[in-house]
Every structure is written in structure tokens, then in C-alpha cells.
Amino acid sequence: MRSLGDGAELRPLEPWQAEEFFAHIERGRDFIATHIAFADRAKDLESARNLLQQYADNAAADTARICGIWLDEKLVGGVMLRQMDVPQGRAEVGCWLEPSATGKGLVTRAAKVLIDWAVRERGVHRVEWLVSPKNEPSIAVARRLGLTKEGVLRSYYPLRGVRQDLEVWSVLAPEWES
């Protein structure tokens, strides 16, 4: 558990929290799914539990992590290392929030904690932030964190049946540590 200030905490999100996680996803499903497919992976309680179990298994294998953001004891979003390859020194950070939690700096503070952990504790050299060019709030977080835009992967993935572009932002360990 890590305080993010202003009544917010960053905690591991685990399978035993599936009901709380699913209720949170239900509150923000359409908002979250505007730019990322993550919310659609938790379509019911069983799939929500399975999603959290996959992350728990990946955490045990040191290949991914998922953490929830609680604001005043209510789960309102999260950050994750979607992929982490410690031997290769690469990781990808992802995030999401329900609408009630936007504009409070929660993702910026939580992502900073997660990136710092990946770089300083796990020795990751390159951290990527992949984002839809239309997702201005997420791009703003990447900028606030000091990431560099590297380019655009055109028509990279389908989201609810429509092909999406994806911007690649990154930070390297020496940049982060300075």
C-alpha cells in the first residue's frame, strides 16, 4: 500500500477483490472503453476474477503487475505494468479511471510510483506508454511524467470493431533517474 496523498492509495489489485473491481468497471465501463479494451475484458464477475487472476499469476512470474487506485476507500481506477520483461529491461505501463476520479492527478501520481518501482527496484531500462492519439488526458500524463513521444503505430489494434492508431511514448532509466 502506498499513499498518493489527498485520501488516495495505490494497492495491489488481487483476485479476492473481484467483486469490488467488477463494480468499479461497471461504473466506468463506457468511459474506460472509449480508448482501451481493458474494461471489456471484465464483462461479468467471473471474467473480472479471471483477469485479476491472470495478473496475479503474471506478478508471481514477474512479467506484469496491476494496482488499484482507491480514493477515500473506493476503488476508482488503476495502473498496471501490462507487460514486463526484466531480462530485456522493458515494460509497458497502462492506466484507467472511472469518470468520477478524473482531473485529480491520480494516474500521474500512481504511474510515477509504478515506473519508479520498475526502474529502481526491477532494473527496467525502457518503460513505454502506448496511447490513442485521441486520448488527450493520457497523453497529458505521459508529458507530465517526462516521457518522449516516439511515433505513431497506424491502424495498430481494433477497439470495438474500429481500427485504432497508437502513439508510442517512452522513458529510459537514465532519463527517469535524473
Side-chain angles (χ1 to χ4, degrees):
M1 177 169 48
R2 173 90 182 252
S3 173
L4 299 174
D6 301 322
E9 291 181 332
L10 183 66
R11 305 178 199 157
L13 194 50
E14 300 175 346
W16 64 268
Q17 296 162 308
E19 287 183 31
E20 183 178 17
F21 173 68
F22 180 64
H24 151 65
I25 291 296
E26 284 290 282
R27 288 191 303 270
R29 183 177 305 283
D30 290 336
F31 179 78
I32 296 165
T34 301
H35 298 293
I36 59 173
F38 180 73
D40 290 340
R41 291 184 59 199
K43 60 185 177 294
D44 53 33
L45 182 56
E46 182 180 354
S47 59
R49 189 178 327 279
N50 290 339
L51 177 61
L52 294 180
Q53 185 61 57
Q54 286 175 335
Y55 270 96
D57 294 344
N58 290 340
D62 202 28
T63 59
R65 294 285 187 286
I66 189 168
C67 297
I69 299 170
W70 277 263
L71 181 59
D72 299 323
E73 297 301 319
K74 178 182 174 187
L75 180 62
V76 295
V79 292
M80 64 183 99
L81 293 171
R82 290 190 64 240
Q83 302 172 20
M84 187 172 69
D85 185 336
V86 173
Q88 292 296 315
R90 289 189 308 261
E92 178 195 339
V93 175
C95 64
W96 76 96
L97 283 174
E98 62 183 64
S100 68
T102 62
K104 299 175 183 0
L106 296 171
V107 165
T108 302
R109 288 181 271 162
K112 183 180 185 305
V113 169
L114 201 56
I115 293 170
D116 203 58
W117 177 83
V119 169
R120 296 180 194 278
E121 300 295 325
R122 298 304 301 126
V124 169
H125 178 75
R126 174 187 171 83
V127 178
E128 295 180 343
W129 187 277
L130 306 179
V131 58
S132 164
K134 298 174 186 173
N135 191 344
E136 293 176 19
S138 186
I139 291 168
V141 171
R143 284 191 178 109
R144 280 192 296 275
L145 291 169
L147 279 66
T148 299
K149 181 179 174 182
E150 296 183 337
V152 177
L153 302 171
R154 298 178 305 138
S155 194
Y156 191 71
Y157 70 103
L159 178 64
R160 293 186 168 183
V162 178
R163 301 262 350 145
Q164 305 291 317
D165 291 349
L166 196 62
E167 288 186 4
V168 179
W169 292 71
S170 73
V171 66
L172 304 179
E175 298 164 344
W176 185 259
E177 292 171 334
S178 67

